């Protein structure tokens, strides 16, 4: 039996002005317009958002968690990127 | 180190497992089964109360019930979405449900005989669901835990509207009070069964606790539910139908009787009053909606072609 299942979309909601859109989940829809309507009905029934993005799940490129150690390694060994790396005398104000 | 060193480490550190992580096949299949069963329960759970939408006594009660049943649909969809992150397919899960290859909570195989049942379902059935679900907000599988957080926020509305409905009926006529008591008598034991079999007969609990899918055993959660419900019943002015129910000061908990576990087994394996009708209706909805899904897909495909 053929299942005419619609493609999967990822949903991002901006909770209020001044905040980023945040991933809230996914849903099935025939196209982007229907995905937006479904997202409104599914993820913002109680004023959870003022703006919604939808993107087809098969269009998302993601890093591979198995490669996590090597992928993120470059940021681990550069302690001088952090402000706490620098010793400043306690007598110096506002720094 | 095992093949799943990162998985084991994340579980040991109480971190969440995320979709693309490597995980033992049994963890994946257990999660898919649990999430799908939970999703199916929400979807089938629309039916017992849905039957009362057209018969709700006031416009206010009708609007509340509509919103509640819509929430159940939403909960089902959050959960199917979580199951899909594990490689399951929503259409396939629906197929498994209507072919009887996957289960849903046995509580929905009981009939809703009066409008008081709507109130008691909100109070006891959703109350039991909350007891079960609050700890699942810390379940080890990230998408499931996040779906549970959304669901728990909404379940609170469900429980409170039910209790308020019952308070209103209890302040009405003697016949209305009898309806409430009758509904409590019928739903109390099935609500206790919602936590699953006693720990001694729950072979999967140990592994689920080790993987931090579950945080408490069935019996612990059942006790918590009884302790919560007794004072709520007293406030409402109804009697819980258990002669063994009594405060035990030495345990600091209520003692209570055992549900009829044979009944649970019977209902789970298809012998409940409503099993056939629930699945038949779900299958009918799936069949009736097929042309809509196909038409929407065809329309989307045509639009895509026009755009090219």
């Amino acid at each position: 039996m053929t299942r005419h299942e619609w493609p999967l979309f990822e949903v991002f909601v901006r909770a209020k002005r001044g905040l980023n859109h945040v991933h809230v989940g996914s849903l099935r829809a025939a196209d982007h317009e229907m995905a937006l309507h479904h997202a409104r009905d599914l993820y913002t029934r109680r004023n959870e958002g003022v703006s919604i993005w939808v993107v087809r799940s098969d269009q998302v490129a993601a890093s591979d968690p198995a490669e996590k150690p090597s992928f993120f390694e470059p940021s681990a060994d550069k302690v001088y990127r952090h402000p706490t790396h620098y010793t400043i005398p306690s007598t110096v104000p506002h720094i | 180190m095992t093949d799943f060193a990162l998985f084991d480490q994340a579980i040991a550190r109480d971190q969440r497992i995320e979709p693309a992580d490597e995980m033992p096949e049994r963890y994946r299949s257990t999660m898919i089964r649990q999430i799908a069963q939970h999703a199916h329960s929400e979807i089938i759970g629309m039916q017992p109360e849905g039957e009362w939408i057209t018969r709700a006594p006031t416009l206010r009660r009708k609007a509340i019930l509509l919103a509640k049943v819509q929430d159940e649909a939403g909960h089902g969809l959050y959960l199917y979405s979580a199951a899909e992150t594990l490689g399951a397919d929503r259409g396939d899960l629906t197929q498994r449900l209507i072919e009887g290859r996957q289960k849903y909570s046995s509580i929905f195989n009981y009939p809703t005989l009066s409008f008081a049942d709507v109130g008691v379902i909100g109070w006891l059935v959703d109350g039991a669901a909350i007891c079960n679900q609050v700890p699942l907000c810390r379940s080890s599988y990230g998408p499931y835990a996040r779906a549970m957080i959304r669901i728990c926020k909404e379940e609170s509305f469900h429980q409170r509207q039910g209790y308020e409905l019952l308070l209103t009926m209890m302040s009405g006529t003697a016949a209305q009070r009898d309806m409430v008591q009758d509904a409590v008598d019928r739903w109390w034991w099935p609500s206790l069964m919602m936590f699953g079999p006693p720990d001694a007969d729950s072979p999967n609990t140990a592994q689920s606790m080790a993987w931090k899918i579950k945080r408490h055993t069935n019996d612990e959660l059942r006790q918590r539910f009884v302790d919560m419900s007794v004072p709520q019943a007293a406030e409402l002015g109804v009697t819980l139908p258990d002669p063994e129910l009594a405060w035990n000061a030495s345990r600091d908990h209520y003692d209570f009787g055992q549900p009829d576990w044979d009944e649970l087994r019977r209902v789970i394996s298809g012998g409940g009053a409503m099993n056939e009708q629930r699945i038949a209706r779900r299958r009918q909805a799936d069949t009736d909606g097929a042309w809509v899904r196909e038409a929407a897909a065809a329309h989307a495909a045509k639009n895509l072609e026009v755009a090219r």
Side-chain angles (χ1 to χ4, degrees), chain A residues 1-2 8 19 27 37 58 86:
Chain A
M1 181 186 168
T2 322
L8 199 60
L19 297 180
L27 51 75
H37 284 134
D58 57 12
Y86 303 93

Side-chain angles (χ1 to χ4, degrees), chain B residues 48 51-52 106-121 123-125 166 169 175-194 225 238-242 259-260 263 267 273-274 278:
Chain B
E51 287 174 12
W52 284 94
S106 63
I107 192 83
F108 302 116
N109 290 318
Y110 292 85
T112 38
L113 302 180
S114 82
F115 193 67
D117 288 34
V118 171
V120 171
I121 287 176
W123 171 39
L124 293 179
V125 175
L166 296 175
M169 287 187 81
Q176 287 176 310
R177 283 191 289 277
D178 289 347
M179 275 167 75
V180 174
Q181 183 61 56
D182 171 64
V184 170
D185 290 346
R186 284 181 290 108
W187 288 97
W188 173 250
W189 292 110
S191 299
L192 290 191
M193 294 177 198
M194 285 176 68
F225 174 68
V238 295
T239 311
L240 297 174
D242 179 358
D260 179 353
E263 177 182 316
V267 174
M274 304 301 284
R278 299 293 186 233

